[in-house]
Amino acid sequence: MGMENVIELRGVSKALKAFTIDNMNLQIKQGYVTGFIGANGAGKSTTMKLIMNLLQPDKGKVSVFGLDYANHEKTIKDRIGFVYDSNIFYESLNLKDISRIVAPAYKHWDDKQFKFYVKQFELPLNKAIKKFSKGMQMKASIAIALSHDAELIIMDEPTAGLDPTSRRELLDIFQEVMVDGKRTILFSTHITSDLERIADYIVLIDEGQILFDKPVYELQEQYAIVKGSTELLDADTEAYFIKIERSPNGFQALTKDVAKVKEVFGEHAVIEEASLEEIMFYMKGADHPYD
Amino acid sequence: MQIIISNSSKEPIYEQILKQIQTAILSGELAEGDALPSIRQLAKDLKISVITTKRAYEELEKAGFIYSIVGKGSFIAEQNLDVIREKKLKVIEEQLSAVISNSKEIGLPYEELQELLKLLYEE
């Protein structure tokens, strides 16, 4: 079967009040973790809503599991676990009620699994959801997503509001559910260190445009932070950089052609691995973003 | 065998995995037919991405160290240790030639070079 796309956006456009998505193409690969990054308002949530059919594209096609929403909405939704930050549950209910109400909606609800995660996340069964902290609410919706045997787990900022220990536990669980290779995870986050650990692919979005979609090792091998004296910069060498920051003490810049920079600057510049955070920072307002 | 990776090393993680498995094969710790952990299990155990372990296994397969059977996993391939040793020796010869020409450039006598080598070897 090889590389299969579980989500495909083809030529998707959507005009909203605040901004527009124009002709977006995106493929999410089956069996892998894709991290979705970008600044606030870059279009991450809108893209996820398009994938979930909570918004419909003005133009273009969205397919999930190779199916379209017009004919297969129920089948698709049954196979997706969707976790997002605003609380989707009836506030005055508790988890016991919810498992009773939510369970029949899914074909493959596993009550044992649900109890396992509730215990693992130390969630109270009898407390009203509205009394949960934000982190607990997130854990509750993750527990539900993982308990109906979803093949595709889509999460909008799942680690936001969680303390470092809970975040680590959650990442362990995500890795655990990826072991059999049947599932796919797409999640957006601001906490890029989470992605550095578990993401296989990184999609960066800015102003409604996908800036890149790459396997993590490609980012590590091609991108780098370069520091050196501004004397190294001229019209030719500046072209190697996505964005350059100058100060009286020298320059710092992001390149996506580290081999070339090494060849040209050699020992004259400091070349360091770029973190996702640095890549995000420099790509925003880049001088040469799309070349 | 155990694989220990460093997140702060300059060496890419897939290369660290690759080298440690290679070393285990060359030292005889892993023998022909031995099963390696699955790509996904190893990723989980090492707390790294699946694509990273996948890359390491793909490189090992390309170099003939391991083979994979769909649905069964990855195994240590038959190794021609003499051939591997021969290749390594060739690399060592090339590296030593470079050392010698560098030494000659700065007029370092043979005895001093030998002393230096001895010192480093015993480190």
Side-chain angles (χ1 to χ4, degrees):
Chain A
M1 292 238 278
M3 203 65 107
E4 213 181 295
N5 296 324
V6 64
I7 300 171
E8 244 187 271
L9 270 67
R10 257 182 290 164
V12 168
S13 300
K14 179 75 186 172
L16 294 165
K17 261 182 256 157
F19 81 123
T20 53
I21 282 175
D22 186 27
N23 194 24
M24 180 186 282
N25 293 296
L26 180 65
Q27 284 97 34
I28 304 298
K29 282 131 206 115
Q30 197 271 329
Y32 292 97
V33 176
T34 298
F36 199 20
I37 59 173
N40 281 335
K44 299 192 297 286
S45 297
T46 305
T47 306
M48 287 185 154
K49 283 178 185 159
L50 285 163
I51 293 168
M52 286 304 298
N53 201 33
L54 297 172
L55 284 173
Q56 288 75 40
D58 300 334
K59 250 177 35 198
K61 268 183 72 176
V62 175
S63 61
V64 184
F65 308 115
L67 305 170
D68 62 62
Y69 274 106
N71 299 306
H72 304 279
E73 170 135 21
K74 182 139 182 36
T75 319
I76 295 172
K77 291 270 175 83
D78 202 54
R79 293 161 70 185
I80 299 181
F82 185 40
V83 176
Y84 69 115
D85 60 358
S86 44
N87 179 20
I88 48 169
F89 307 122
Y90 304 98
E91 291 203 315
S92 53
L93 296 181
N94 62 36
L95 279 182
K96 221 180 204 164
D97 302 328
I98 284 202
S99 73
R100 216 183 56 231
I101 291 161
V102 171
Y106 292 107
K107 229 188 209 163
H108 302 284
W109 181 263
D110 184 341
D111 216 47
K112 236 172 89 185
Q113 191 81 294
F114 180 66
K115 287 196 175 110
F116 167 82
Y117 285 121
V118 165
K119 204 172 158 207
Q120 175 106 3
F121 294 151
E122 296 172 347
L123 297 170
L125 274 169
N126 297 312
K127 191 172 173 178
I129 305 256
K130 65 181 168 197
K131 289 186 179 153
F132 280 19
S133 68
K134 201 168 176 288
M136 280 163 74
Q137 287 178 1
M138 191 57 87
K139 283 179 173 176
S141 40
I142 290 166
I144 291 170
L146 294 178
S147 299
H148 68 83
D149 201 22
E151 292 158 61
L152 171 61
I153 299 164
I154 300 178
M155 297 178 283
D156 198 1
E157 301 283 342
T159 51
L162 297 182
D163 61 69
T165 311
S166 304
R167 265 197 7 247
R168 277 195 81 111
E169 280 169 12
L170 203 62
L171 293 182
D172 285 343
I173 286 166
F174 292 161
Q175 290 210 289
E176 178 82 51
V177 303
M178 294 306 287
V179 168
D180 67 12
K182 289 179 188 146
R183 291 190 186 84
T184 303
I185 290 181
L186 169 66
F187 79 105
S188 69
T189 182
H190 279 123
I191 305 161
T192 50
S193 58
D194 291 348
L195 293 177
E196 272 155 358
R197 176 176 148 192
I198 69 163
D200 299 302
Y201 293 89
I202 303 286
V203 175
L204 174 63
I205 184 170
D206 189 42
E207 292 175 11
Q209 294 228 42
I210 305 284
L211 297 193
F212 63 64
D213 174 3
K214 287 175 187 287
V216 276
Y217 59 77
E218 240 176 81
L219 292 175
Q220 286 155 359
E221 282 164 20
Q222 295 170 0
Y223 288 69
I225 298 292
V226 182
K227 301 172 187 172
S229 159
T230 44
E231 285 165 19
L232 295 171
L233 299 176
D234 58 33
D236 291 331
T237 57
E238 278 171 18
Y240 307 144
F241 298 110
I242 289 168
K243 189 174 169 65
I244 303 170
E245 280 194 309
R246 295 161 211 263
S247 83
N249 300 310
F251 78 92
Q252 287 195 31
L254 178 73
T255 182
K256 64 169 198 180
D257 191 354
V258 66
K260 184 82 191 162
V261 168
K262 271 186 185 154
E263 178 196 319
V264 173
F265 290 166
E267 302 285 297
H268 299 290
V270 174
I271 299 169
E272 293 172 341
E273 194 180 304
S275 67
L276 280 178
E277 202 173 297
E278 286 168 320
I279 293 174
M280 259 175 88
F281 173 75
Y282 283 100
M283 294 284 288
K284 178 121 186 99
D287 303 322
H288 318 103
Y290 306 117
D291 49 345
Chain B
M1 75 166 296
Q2 299 201 321
I3 295 172
I4 313 293
I5 54 154
S6 160
N7 285 313
S8 56
S9 164
K10 277 210 157 179
E11 196 173 21
I13 291 173
Y14 85 90
E15 251 178 65
Q16 296 181 41
I17 297 169
L18 181 118
K19 278 194 183 158
Q20 290 180 43
I21 293 176
Q22 265 182 8
T23 306
I25 293 170
L26 292 175
S27 71
E29 191 188 338
L30 287 175
E32 186 190 340
D34 283 356
L36 287 171
S38 81
I39 286 170
R40 288 172 180 276
Q41 186 63 44
L42 186 64
K44 180 189 161 264
D45 294 345
L46 298 179
K47 297 183 190 289
I48 57 175
S49 62
V50 169
I51 209 164
T52 306
T53 50
K54 186 166 174 269
R55 179 121 192 257
Y57 279 29
E58 278 170 2
E59 299 279 329
L60 283 166
E61 199 166 341
K62 242 191 269 166
F65 284 102
I66 66 170
Y67 63 93
S68 299
I69 302 175
V70 178
K72 288 211 161 157
S74 303
F75 304 89
I76 306 299
E78 184 187 353
Q79 305 296 324
N80 193 334
L81 290 176
D82 289 341
V83 172
I84 294 167
R85 203 183 135 79
E86 198 77 12
K87 272 188 199 157
K88 282 256 167 200
L89 267 173
K90 213 166 162 231
V91 173
I92 293 171
E93 246 170 58
E94 279 166 19
Q95 288 169 332
L96 282 177
S97 302
V99 167
I100 291 166
S101 74
N102 269 332
S103 305
K104 283 181 176 164
E105 258 175 48
I106 60 162
L108 190 74
Y110 174 69
E111 289 71 27
E112 271 180 54
L113 178 62
Q114 201 180 20
E115 194 56 37
L116 192 62
L117 183 65
K118 188 165 182 276
L119 213 75
L120 288 170
Y121 192 92
E122 285 164 1
E123 214 170 53

